[in-house]
Amino acid sequence: AKRALATPAIRRLARELGVDIQTVKGTGAGGRVTEEDVRSAVASQVS
Amino acid sequence: MVVGEFTTEVDVLVLGAGPGGYVAAIRAAQLGKKVMVVEKAEVGGVCLNRGCIPSKALISAAHRYEEMNHSDDMGLTADGVKVDFSKVQAWKQTVVGKLTGGVGSLLKGNGVELVQGEALFVTPNEVRVYQGNEFNRYKFNHCIIATGSRPIELRAFPFGKRIISSTEALSLPEIPKSMVVIGGGYIGIELGQMYAKFGCQVTVIEGTEQILPLFENEIVRWVQRRLKKDGVTVHTKAKAVSAEQTDTGVTLKYEINGEQKEITADYLLVTVGRVPNTDELGLDQVGIKKNERGLIEVDHQCKTNVENVYAIGDVTAGPALAHKASYEGKVAAEVIAGHNSAVDYKCIPSVVFSDPEIASVGLSETEAKEQGHTVATGKFNYAANGRALSLNANEGFVKVVADKESGIVLGCQIVGPGAPDLIAEMGLAIEMGASLEDIALTIHAHPTLGEMVMEATENALGQGVHTLTK
């Protein structure tokens, strides 16, 4: 499986917030997962 | 107090004070845990005492010696350069002492208690720590096993007087006249080449087709060439059969292409790999699972099958590298402290302090193709780099491997002086998901060896300035 394109800090943030980064759609350059992407994934999980 | 009756209780008990163990202990203490480390030998473990640090110290002394004798190109001639090997050893030992002392102070400064002895599991929450026949009991909520590894001992070549492991090879009182090395992996090559530079007649016996089998042939070729210059004889596809020792030397019988041969040397160094120190911990007693190689099975949070017991470093699968152990130590400590940490790296750099040095991170060209990538590669030679030439170090290259469509960097291999330091940039690039352009557009200082990384990525993009493309 191809791994999500995200920096180590973003990957850690996703883990801490309980988000599977593989399921997050990246909106950054070249499909990179941004901090915003992770945070909005949390928001959509909660709501 | 009756021996064995006294029980101490801690939050986290760490078994082993190597690069995995001491880092785990410090991180756990930083996160507010009461931590105790059990160490049977010296603080700092193999890396500081019998591995990375002493070997690199001896290698740099050997390089210095070689340069003193061979700088005629630059107009520098020295006569009567002498090696006082006992002084070399003493200097190496001060380096080790400073670092192990530093680790001791860090543990103390973080409030970590250090206990000397050998641990044996009694229950999943209790170990006995033996000092000789006496023992104390220690209860814990969590345990991190970081007991490391030791050199493999071959039945036909038991370690003894003239048959030595890397440990003894690092502490020889004098430069041997001759040495045979069984095993052309990174430890055998580093130590063999080091002694060769000091004037020892070194012969390497490697079973597979090439020394340093984990690296690509185009890299290894550079090292082979230099080994030859250093007077090292390398026999590949050779099988060591038996050895006979006398008080002053050892004769090795070996086989190449079915032909029987023998060679006599002062020492026989056996460096064929390492085994995990998981056999005398009483793991079976508490049902901690190991695989057939003795490696403890762990999940992505370094947890063993026993709820509160973790394992890190050389006792687990993966490359037996100090930086892998330290990384896992932090993960285990953080998980114990309630953080949702996990082993989540894209790459681990590996380096060899051969001459020339080697470093590799991420995927090789072959591996990238095997994984289905259309690959773009870019290479840059030391011989075209101004800094390399001004260092009189024009042997080697930097090679970058990327996914052609996305331009995302997948790997980097370097052979040449400074490679172990140069590779750090590419490790970061891979972790960050950087593209070739990201690196090519980053201004690298001139004149530096680091420019070669930038230029290799430019070459991968077909835009190299200091390389003519046909």
Side-chain angles (χ1 to χ4, degrees):
Chain A
K2 211 177 153 200
R3 285 173 70 179
L5 208 51
T7 69
I10 300 296
R11 302 202 298 267
R12 164 178 281 207
L13 178 72
R15 258 196 324 275
E16 280 169 358
L17 298 177
V19 175
D20 177 4
I21 200 155
Q22 292 301 131
T23 66
V24 179
K25 193 173 153 36
T27 63
R32 283 173 174 74
V33 177
T34 66
E35 181 173 344
E36 271 307 294
D37 295 335
V38 172
R39 293 198 186 278
S40 45
V42 180
S44 65
Q45 274 179 4
V46 172
S47 58
Chain B
M1 182 183 77
V2 182
V3 170
E5 291 299 309
F6 180 71
T7 305
T8 308
E9 292 196 37
V10 290
D11 287 334
V12 183
L13 187 80
V14 180
L15 305 183
Y22 84 74
V23 170
I26 290 172
R27 179 56 54 88
Q30 285 170 340
L31 295 170
K33 297 289 173 186
K34 189 184 172 202
V35 187
M36 178 177 280
V37 177
V38 180
E39 171 58 55
K40 74 169 177 179
E42 312 93 334
V43 169
V46 170
C47 171
L48 265 62
N49 295 284
R50 299 179 296 284
C52 324
I53 300 302
S55 69
K56 265 76 265 181
L58 292 182
I59 288 166
S60 54
H63 277 251
R64 198 68 76 85
Y65 177 62
E66 184 183 47
E67 281 173 8
M68 289 167 91
N69 283 314
H70 298 284
S71 295
D72 314 31
D73 291 0
M74 297 162 93
L76 307 174
T77 323
D79 283 328
V81 177
K82 286 197 192 74
V83 184
D84 181 343
F85 201 63
S86 59
K87 227 170 173 175
V88 172
Q89 285 288 9
W91 168 73
K92 177 208 81 182
Q93 217 46 48
T94 62
V95 174
V96 169
K98 275 180 200 165
L99 289 167
T100 54
V103 171
S105 318
L106 287 171
L107 289 173
K108 206 170 175 188
N110 279 285
V112 175
E113 200 180 328
L114 181 66
V115 172
Q116 289 286 333
E118 272 187 79
L120 186 71
F121 277 95
V122 184
T123 75
N125 288 92
E126 189 180 335
V127 292
R128 286 179 186 171
V129 176
Y130 285 84
Q131 287 169 307
N133 288 325
E134 298 185 355
F135 67 84
N136 284 314
R137 294 163 188 265
Y138 296 94
K139 282 197 165 169
F140 50 83
N141 295 320
H142 295 94
C143 178
I144 301 175
I145 303 170
T147 47
S149 61
R150 62 179 184 275
I152 289 180
E153 186 169 25
L154 299 176
R155 205 168 300 163
F157 309 100
F159 294 131
K161 220 171 164 211
R162 293 281 152 177
I163 302 179
I164 59 175
S165 74
S166 55
T167 305
E168 293 76 35
L170 290 167
S171 301
L172 292 179
E174 78 286 302
I175 300 161
K177 286 198 181 62
S178 56
M179 179 182 280
V180 176
V181 182
I182 301 180
Y186 80 94
I187 298 173
I189 294 301
E190 285 186 356
L191 296 179
Q193 197 171 24
M194 177 269 289
Y195 275 116
K197 285 183 190 294
F198 277 127
C200 174
Q201 188 69 48
V202 176
T203 306
V204 177
I205 306 286
E206 165 60 37
T208 67
E209 281 182 27
Q210 116 181 352
I211 54 163
L212 303 167
L214 296 178
F215 295 91
E216 292 171 293
N217 186 260
E218 61 177 333
I219 288 172
V220 176
R221 276 206 303 256
W222 287 94
V223 180
Q224 279 169 329
R225 205 170 306 161
R226 182 53 81 117
L227 284 167
K228 208 171 176 183
K229 271 192 196 166
D230 289 336
V232 178
T233 307
V234 176
H235 296 302
T236 53
K237 290 194 264 180
K239 188 177 181 290
V241 180
S242 63
E244 259 177 61
Q245 296 193 64
T246 64
D247 282 346
T248 54
V250 52
T251 299
L252 173 75
K253 286 195 164 69
Y254 63 101
E255 236 177 74
I256 301 182
N257 298 326
E259 223 182 299
Q260 309 286 327
K261 302 200 172 197
E262 63 174 59
I263 181 171
T264 300
D266 289 359
Y267 289 99
L268 177 64
L269 166 62
V270 183
T271 60
V272 291
R274 302 185 64 84
V275 277
N277 295 325
T278 52
D279 39 1
E280 287 171 353
L281 290 170
L283 298 182
D284 297 338
Q285 179 78 17
V286 288
I288 294 169
K289 268 194 205 153
K290 292 186 285 185
N291 70 13
E292 69 285 351
R293 293 178 51 215
L295 297 166
I296 298 172
E297 291 177 14
V298 287
D299 68 6
H300 63 296
Q301 292 191 310
C302 305
K303 283 182 179 163
T304 69
N305 63 308
V306 172
E307 177 95 57
N308 62 318
V309 180
Y310 297 68
I312 60 170
D314 289 6
V315 297
T316 65
L321 297 172
H323 40 288
K324 178 240 185 200
S326 300
Y327 176 93
E328 291 172 346
K330 291 176 207 165
V331 170
E334 287 167 7
V335 172
I336 286 168
H339 293 258
N340 190 16
S341 291
V343 171
D344 177 20
Y345 50 77
K346 289 187 179 173
C347 57
I348 304 178
S350 56
V351 301
V352 183
F353 289 81
S354 49
D355 181 13
E357 293 166 333
I358 297 175
S360 170
V361 70
L363 304 179
S364 68
E365 184 176 355
T366 313
E367 288 165 342
K369 283 176 180 163
E370 280 166 4
Q371 293 193 13
H373 291 278
T374 308
V375 175
T377 64
K379 218 168 165 182
F380 194 86
N381 291 322
Y382 274 64
N385 175 267
R387 180 58 183 144
L389 294 187
S390 73
L391 286 166
N392 201 21
N394 52 8
E395 293 180 0
F397 64 80
V398 173
K399 181 179 175 182
V400 173
V401 178
D403 179 78
K404 194 165 187 174
E405 281 156 57
S406 62
I408 302 291
V409 174
L410 302 171
C412 180
Q413 296 82 41
I414 306 175
V415 54
D421 291 306
L422 293 173
I423 205 71
E425 177 181 6
M426 293 308 277
L428 177 65
I430 293 168
E431 288 293 349
M432 297 294 286
S435 70
L436 290 168
E437 277 199 306
D438 289 326
I439 297 162
L441 294 171
T442 300
I443 299 177
H444 289 62
H446 175 76
T448 62
L449 297 176
E451 284 179 283
M452 291 188 288
V453 174
M454 175 182 74
E455 302 227 34
T457 59
E458 285 185 324
N459 280 339
L461 292 164
Q463 300 167 353
V465 170
H466 295 96
T467 309
L468 289 174
T469 39
K470 285 162 234 164

